[in-house]
Amino acid sequence: MKRLGTRVNLIPVIAKADTLTPNDLLVFKQRIREVVHAQGIRIYTPPVDPDDDDTTVEHVRSLAEAMPFSIIGSTEDIVTRDGRTVKGREYLWGVAEGQFICRS
């Protein structure tokens, strides 16, 4: 990753993030950030344009703080308890929707 990060934009992701509890996901993200920092791995940072409005600048900063992104992907249509059809995974405890959520 060190060598690759000098040639391409690296965007770290955690696949199947729905298999982790929210607390475990936060701990795992922090561990990844620590390793990336300790190893000097260059991760893509979205550029901040000084001409952008405050809302756009804040959005870009929140994206950078959310890395590594947690991903839930699915090609299956699932019907939720409230009757919506979404892409996601169905578990005994409920449905994990495959949607974009930005959390740091």
Side-chain angles (χ1 to χ4, degrees):
M1 286 181 71
K2 282 183 187 181
R3 286 186 282 158
L4 194 58
T6 63
R7 293 177 171 78
V8 298
N9 293 328
L10 294 179
I11 300 174
V13 297
I14 299 170
K16 295 187 177 182
D18 53 322
T19 62
L20 300 168
T21 66
N23 188 51
D24 288 344
L25 182 59
L26 288 175
V27 170
F28 191 46
K29 280 186 165 199
Q30 187 57 37
R31 285 181 32 211
I32 291 171
R33 289 181 190 125
E34 289 169 1
V35 169
V36 164
H37 179 73
Q39 295 294 320
I41 298 170
R42 292 175 45 178
I43 299 298
Y44 174 74
T45 304
V48 177
D49 187 349
D51 296 332
D52 286 339
D53 58 77
D54 291 340
T55 305
T56 303
V57 170
E58 183 58 34
H59 179 69
V60 169
R61 287 196 177 121
S62 69
L63 283 174
E65 290 172 2
M67 286 192 211
F69 296 124
S70 47
I71 306 295
I72 300 172
S74 178
T75 57
E76 293 184 34
D77 289 330
I78 305 292
V79 178
T80 62
R81 290 183 185 158
D82 61 359
R84 295 178 298 120
T85 301
V86 297
K87 298 285 186 200
R89 297 180 192 196
E90 190 167 15
Y91 295 98
L92 294 174
W93 50 263
V95 173
E97 293 184 38
Q99 60 182 339
F100 179 76
I101 299 174
C102 183
R103 293 187 197 144
S104 54

